[in-house]
Amino acid sequence: MEEQSVTVRKMELFDIDDVEQVEIACFSTPWSKKSLEEALQYDTHQFLVAEVDGKVVGYMGLIKMFTEADVTNIAVLPDIRRRGIATALLEETLKLARKSGVEVVFLEVRQSNTCAIHLYEKYQFKAISIRKNYYQNPTEHAVVMSADLSTRKKE
C-alpha cells in the first residue's frame, strides 16, 4: 500500500458536498447538507477535513461549550481507513480544542466499534457510561467516553 500524505485543515463551505458524501458513506443516519452548512455558521462549532491528494476523505466535528466539548462525528471513507487519517483528525482537533481552553472532551461511539474505541483510548479517552439503544439502523448502545485535556502539556 502506497503511503499518502494527509492534510488536515479547517472545513469551509465549499467542502460541504464532499463532507456530505463522507457522511453518506459512513453513517446509517447521515447529517444532511443543510445541517452541515448550518453547523459551520456557529462559533462554538469546529470542523476539520482531511484531504489526500486534494480530495476530502474524512472529517471531524466538535462543539465547544466553555471548557467542555462534544465530538459530533469523526468519519473517514471506508475504502481508505486504517491509514492514520482518523488519527490525524483527532490529534489536530484535540490540539485546537486545548488551545481554545477546552479541558474535557466527550464523545459517543458504537459499542461494537472496537477500532474507534482503541483509537480514542490511545488519546486517553476513558469509558464513563453506556447510553442504551443510542444508535439506530442498527439499534446499538453507545459507549460514552471522555478525555481530560487539562492535564496534557500545552502544544
Side-chain angles (χ1 to χ4, degrees):
M1 172 172 47
E2 180 183 328
E3 201 55 36
Q4 298 171 311
S5 74
V6 178
T7 303
V8 175
R9 62 171 174 78
K10 180 181 175 189
M11 186 165 85
E12 302 290 346
L13 200 52
F14 61 79
D15 294 313
I16 295 294
D17 288 336
D18 292 332
V19 171
E20 180 187 34
Q21 292 309 305
V22 172
E23 274 283 312
I24 290 167
C26 295
F27 298 113
S28 58
T29 310
W31 282 33
S32 69
K33 184 175 179 178
K34 183 178 180 188
S35 294
L36 290 164
E37 288 172 347
E38 288 174 354
L40 278 183
Q41 307 307 311
Y42 296 103
D43 291 337
T44 55
H45 291 50
Q46 167 187 301
F47 285 89
L48 299 177
V49 294
E51 292 180 322
V52 172
D53 296 331
K55 179 181 187 265
V56 173
V57 296
Y59 89 102
M60 184 169 179
L62 191 76
I63 299 174
K64 298 180 284 184
M65 295 147 294
F66 306 106
T67 60
E68 295 183 356
D70 287 307
V71 172
T72 60
N73 276 337
I74 182 167
V76 175
L77 289 173
D79 60 336
I80 60 165
R81 289 182 182 156
R82 304 198 58 80
R83 297 187 192 178
I85 296 165
T87 298
L89 284 163
L90 185 58
E91 282 182 6
E92 188 63 21
T93 297
L94 294 177
K95 182 167 62 171
L96 291 172
R98 175 80 173 100
K99 284 182 179 177
S100 69
V102 171
E103 295 177 5
V104 181
V105 177
F106 297 92
L107 61 81
E108 295 89 14
V109 58
R110 280 186 181 270
Q111 197 169 31
S112 65
N113 193 346
T114 55
C115 288
I117 291 169
H118 291 306
L119 171 64
Y120 301 140
E121 288 173 341
K122 283 187 351 190
Y123 287 87
Q124 286 78 51
F125 279 85
K126 296 190 179 357
I128 58 172
S129 68
I130 299 289
R131 289 201 174 134
K132 294 191 182 278
N133 303 319
Y134 181 77
Y135 292 104
Q136 304 302 311
N137 302 321
T139 301
E140 187 172 352
H141 301 335
V143 177
V144 180
M145 302 182 84
S146 69
D148 184 351
L149 303 185
S150 66
T151 59
R152 296 183 186 192
K153 291 190 310 185
K154 291 189 179 188
E155 287 102 32

